Amino acid sequence: MNTRDVSHIGTVQQQGAATARSIPQESWFVAQLKPNSDTIAQRNLLRQGITAFLPRFQKTERNDRRFRETRRPLFPGYIFVSVNLAEGRWRAINNTQGITRIVSFNARPAPLPKGFVEALQERCDEGGLVRPVEALAPGEMARITDGPFSDFIVRVESIGNDQRLLVLFDLMGRQTRLAVPRDALVRA
Protein backbone atom coordinates (compact mmCIF):
# COMPACT_ATOMS: atom_id res chain seq x y z
CA MET A 1 0.00 0.00 0.00
CA ASN A 2 1.46 3.37 -0.95
CA THR A 3 1.26 6.65 0.97
CA ARG A 4 -1.44 7.97 -1.32
CA ASP A 5 -3.80 5.13 -0.25
CA VAL A 6 -3.03 5.69 3.44
CA SER A 7 -3.74 9.43 3.24
CA HIS A 8 -7.09 8.66 1.55
CA ILE A 9 -8.03 6.33 4.44
CA GLY A 10 -7.23 9.09 6.93
CA THR A 11 -9.47 11.49 4.99
CA VAL A 12 -12.36 9.00 5.01
CA GLN A 13 -11.94 8.46 8.77
CA GLN A 14 -11.95 12.22 9.34
CA GLN A 15 -15.12 12.59 7.26
CA GLY A 16 -16.78 9.81 9.29
CA ALA A 17 -15.77 11.52 12.53
CA ALA A 18 -17.15 14.83 11.25
CA THR A 19 -20.47 13.13 10.46
CA ALA A 20 -20.64 11.64 13.98
CA ARG A 21 -19.81 15.06 15.46
CA SER A 22 -22.51 16.81 13.41
CA ILE A 23 -25.19 14.94 15.41
CA PRO A 24 -25.36 16.19 19.02
CA GLN A 25 -24.06 13.86 21.71
CA GLU A 26 -27.44 12.77 23.04
CA SER A 27 -30.17 12.88 20.36
CA TRP A 28 -33.71 11.59 20.07
CA PHE A 29 -34.53 8.88 17.54
CA VAL A 30 -37.62 6.89 16.58
CA ALA A 31 -37.80 3.12 17.00
CA GLN A 32 -40.44 0.97 15.37
CA LEU A 33 -42.29 -1.36 17.74
CA LYS A 34 -43.51 -4.89 17.24
CA PRO A 35 -47.33 -5.16 17.33
CA ASN A 36 -48.79 -4.65 20.83
CA SER A 37 -45.31 -4.46 22.39
CA ASP A 38 -45.16 -0.82 23.47
CA THR A 39 -45.11 -1.52 27.22
CA ILE A 40 -42.63 -4.40 26.89
CA ALA A 41 -40.27 -2.34 24.73
CA GLN A 42 -40.39 0.67 27.06
CA ARG A 43 -39.67 -1.50 30.10
CA ASN A 44 -36.75 -3.27 28.40
CA LEU A 45 -35.22 -0.01 27.13
CA LEU A 46 -35.34 1.46 30.65
CA ARG A 47 -33.67 -1.71 32.01
CA GLN A 48 -30.80 -1.11 29.59
CA GLY A 49 -30.43 2.49 30.79
CA ILE A 50 -31.80 3.96 27.55
CA THR A 51 -34.17 6.91 27.93
CA ALA A 52 -37.49 6.15 26.23
CA PHE A 53 -40.59 8.27 25.77
CA LEU A 54 -44.00 6.89 24.74
CA PRO A 55 -46.63 9.66 24.67
CA ARG A 56 -50.24 8.53 25.10
CA PHE A 57 -53.68 10.11 24.95
CA GLN A 58 -56.82 9.23 26.84
CA LYS A 59 -59.73 7.87 24.83
CA THR A 60 -63.26 7.05 25.93
CA GLU A 61 -64.52 3.76 24.50
CA ARG A 62 -67.90 2.15 24.75
CA ASN A 63 -67.82 -1.50 25.71
CA ASP A 64 -70.87 -3.58 26.71
CA ARG A 65 -73.06 -0.54 27.35
CA ARG A 66 -70.40 1.06 29.54
CA PHE A 67 -67.90 3.78 28.85
CA ARG A 68 -64.31 3.23 29.91
CA GLU A 69 -61.20 5.33 29.66
CA THR A 70 -58.22 3.80 27.87
CA ARG A 71 -54.74 5.12 27.17
CA ARG A 72 -53.62 4.77 23.57
CA PRO A 73 -50.22 5.61 22.04
CA LEU A 74 -50.15 8.99 20.31
CA PHE A 75 -47.94 7.48 17.58
CA PRO A 76 -49.02 3.81 17.33
CA GLY A 77 -46.15 1.49 16.52
CA TYR A 78 -43.36 3.91 17.46
CA ILE A 79 -41.39 4.98 20.54
CA PHE A 80 -38.88 7.80 21.01
CA VAL A 81 -35.42 6.85 22.32
CA SER A 82 -32.55 9.08 23.40
CA VAL A 83 -29.11 7.67 22.72
CA ASN A 84 -25.55 8.81 22.00
CA LEU A 85 -24.47 7.62 18.53
CA ALA A 86 -20.78 7.95 19.34
CA GLU A 87 -21.10 5.22 22.00
CA GLY A 88 -22.63 2.79 19.49
CA ARG A 89 -25.41 1.77 21.90
CA TRP A 90 -28.02 2.39 19.22
CA ARG A 91 -27.36 -1.12 17.87
CA ALA A 92 -28.61 -2.54 21.18
CA ILE A 93 -31.97 -0.91 20.53
CA ASN A 94 -32.51 -3.12 17.46
CA ASN A 95 -32.00 -6.20 19.65
CA THR A 96 -34.37 -5.07 22.42
CA GLN A 97 -37.43 -7.22 22.96
CA GLY A 98 -40.47 -5.41 21.58
CA ILE A 99 -38.47 -3.29 19.09
CA THR A 100 -38.37 -4.11 15.37
CA ARG A 101 -35.74 -1.55 14.37
CA ILE A 102 -34.56 1.99 14.85
CA VAL A 103 -35.68 4.22 11.95
CA SER A 104 -32.61 4.74 9.75
CA PHE A 105 -31.58 6.24 6.44
CA ASN A 106 -28.46 5.01 4.62
CA ALA A 107 -27.80 2.54 7.46
CA ARG A 108 -27.52 5.39 10.02
CA PRO A 109 -30.22 6.24 12.59
CA ALA A 110 -32.07 9.41 11.65
CA PRO A 111 -32.19 11.95 14.51
CA LEU A 112 -35.35 13.95 15.15
CA PRO A 113 -35.23 17.75 14.89
CA LYS A 114 -33.82 19.38 18.01
CA GLY A 115 -36.58 20.34 20.44
CA PHE A 116 -39.31 18.14 18.92
CA VAL A 117 -39.47 15.56 21.72
CA GLU A 118 -38.85 18.19 24.39
CA ALA A 119 -41.85 20.21 23.15
CA LEU A 120 -43.96 17.04 23.14
CA GLN A 121 -42.84 16.21 26.70
CA GLU A 122 -43.91 19.69 27.85
CA ARG A 123 -47.45 18.92 26.62
CA CYS A 124 -47.54 15.69 28.66
CA ASP A 125 -48.00 15.00 32.35
CA GLU A 126 -45.60 12.89 34.44
CA GLY A 127 -47.12 9.63 33.13
CA GLY A 128 -46.67 10.59 29.47
CA LEU A 129 -50.37 11.41 28.98
CA VAL A 130 -50.93 14.29 26.55
CA ARG A 131 -52.91 17.12 28.15
CA PRO A 132 -55.68 18.72 26.10
CA VAL A 133 -54.63 21.85 24.24
CA GLU A 134 -57.54 24.06 25.18
CA ALA A 135 -60.77 23.79 27.11
CA LEU A 136 -63.90 25.38 25.76
CA ALA A 137 -66.19 27.30 28.11
CA PRO A 138 -69.94 27.87 27.83
CA GLY A 139 -70.74 30.83 25.58
CA GLU A 140 -67.63 30.46 23.40
CA MET A 141 -67.80 29.99 19.65
CA ALA A 142 -66.35 26.79 18.21
CA ARG A 143 -66.08 24.96 14.90
CA ILE A 144 -67.13 21.30 14.48
CA THR A 145 -64.26 19.33 12.91
CA ASP A 146 -65.82 15.90 12.42
CA GLY A 147 -69.10 14.32 11.45
CA PRO A 148 -72.05 15.39 9.30
CA PHE A 149 -71.97 18.97 10.70
CA SER A 150 -68.27 19.43 9.96
CA ASP A 151 -67.19 23.10 9.56
CA PHE A 152 -70.36 24.45 11.24
CA ILE A 153 -69.74 27.34 13.65
CA VAL A 154 -71.55 26.71 16.94
CA ARG A 155 -71.92 28.27 20.40
CA VAL A 156 -71.05 26.06 23.40
CA GLU A 157 -74.10 25.85 25.67
CA SER A 158 -72.95 23.47 28.40
CA ILE A 159 -70.28 20.90 29.19
CA GLY A 160 -71.35 17.40 30.23
CA ASN A 161 -69.46 14.89 32.36
CA ASP A 162 -69.48 12.25 29.61
CA GLN A 163 -66.91 14.02 27.36
CA ARG A 164 -69.70 15.66 25.34
CA LEU A 165 -70.56 19.31 24.84
CA LEU A 166 -74.03 20.65 24.16
CA VAL A 167 -73.82 23.23 21.40
CA LEU A 168 -76.30 25.50 19.64
CA PHE A 169 -76.27 26.32 15.94
CA ASP A 170 -78.61 27.84 13.37
CA LEU A 171 -80.30 25.27 11.17
CA MET A 172 -82.96 26.56 8.77
CA GLY A 173 -83.52 29.71 10.82
CA ARG A 174 -83.90 27.94 14.19
CA GLN A 175 -81.55 27.41 17.12
CA THR A 176 -80.83 23.67 17.25
CA ARG A 177 -79.16 21.87 20.17
CA LEU A 178 -76.64 19.13 19.43
CA ALA A 179 -74.40 16.92 21.61
CA VAL A 180 -70.86 16.79 20.22
CA PRO A 181 -67.77 14.90 21.46
CA ARG A 182 -65.15 17.19 23.02
CA ASP A 183 -62.46 16.19 20.54
CA ALA A 184 -64.68 17.17 17.56
CA LEU A 185 -64.58 20.89 18.43
CA VAL A 186 -61.93 23.58 18.08
CA ARG A 187 -62.12 27.20 19.13
CA ALA A 188 -63.37 29.37 16.23
Side-chain angles (χ1 to χ4, degrees):
M1 196 185 295
N2 61 28
T3 44
R4 187 176 184 189
D5 292 336
V6 174
S7 65
H8 175 70
I9 292 171
T11 305
V12 170
Q13 288 174 346
Q14 288 173 352
Q15 288 173 345
T19 304
R21 280 192 295 261
S22 66
I23 297 174
Q25 290 291 344
E26 191 84 13
S27 297
W28 285 98
F29 299 89
V30 178
Q32 186 178 15
L33 297 168
K34 292 181 180 174
N36 300 319
S37 297
D38 49 354
T39 309
I40 294 167
Q42 187 173 23
R43 182 182 65 230
N44 288 326
L45 287 167
L46 294 175
R47 282 183 183 166
Q48 295 176 47
I50 297 172
T51 305
F53 177 57
L54 183 65
R56 297 176 183 269
F57 69 97
Q58 191 136 359
K59 183 177 181 179
T60 304
E61 294 178 339
R62 186 175 174 172
N63 189 1
D64 295 332
R65 297 184 185 154
R66 291 187 314 206
F67 288 98
R68 67 176 202 170
E69 299 287 324
T70 59
R71 291 182 172 199
R72 300 278 183 199
L74 188 60
F75 302 101
Y78 296 95
I79 189 169
F80 299 107
V81 291
S82 177
V83 69
N84 186 345
L85 281 186
E87 293 175 0
R89 295 198 55 203
W90 65 272
R91 296 184 195 279
I93 294 171
N94 287 339
N95 295 324
T96 301
Q97 184 181 4
I99 302 276
T100 301
R101 64 183 177 88
I102 193 163
V103 177
S104 303
F105 297 103
N106 295 328
R108 296 282 296 170
L112 289 170
K114 188 164 180 64
F116 175 78
V117 175
E118 291 81 2
L120 193 56
Q121 286 174 328
E122 287 178 12
R123 294 236 2 245
C124 295
D125 62 10
E126 301 80 33
L129 189 65
V130 177
R131 291 185 294 257
V133 176
E134 56 188 41
L136 294 168
E140 285 188 311
M141 299 301 287
R143 182 175 56 85
I144 299 176
T145 60
D146 194 25
F149 298 106
S150 182
D151 291 330
F152 272 67
I153 302 296
V154 298
R155 180 179 309 277
V156 177
E157 183 181 35
S158 65
I159 301 170
N161 292 335
D162 60 349
Q163 299 293 319
R164 293 194 171 273
L165 300 172
L166 286 176
V167 297
L168 293 172
F169 68 102
D170 285 326
L171 184 65
M172 299 190 328
R174 296 183 63 189
Q175 287 282 320
T176 306
R177 182 175 290 130
L178 178 68
V180 180
R182 231 176 251 222
D183 58 352
L185 288 176
V186 293
R187 188 169 279 134

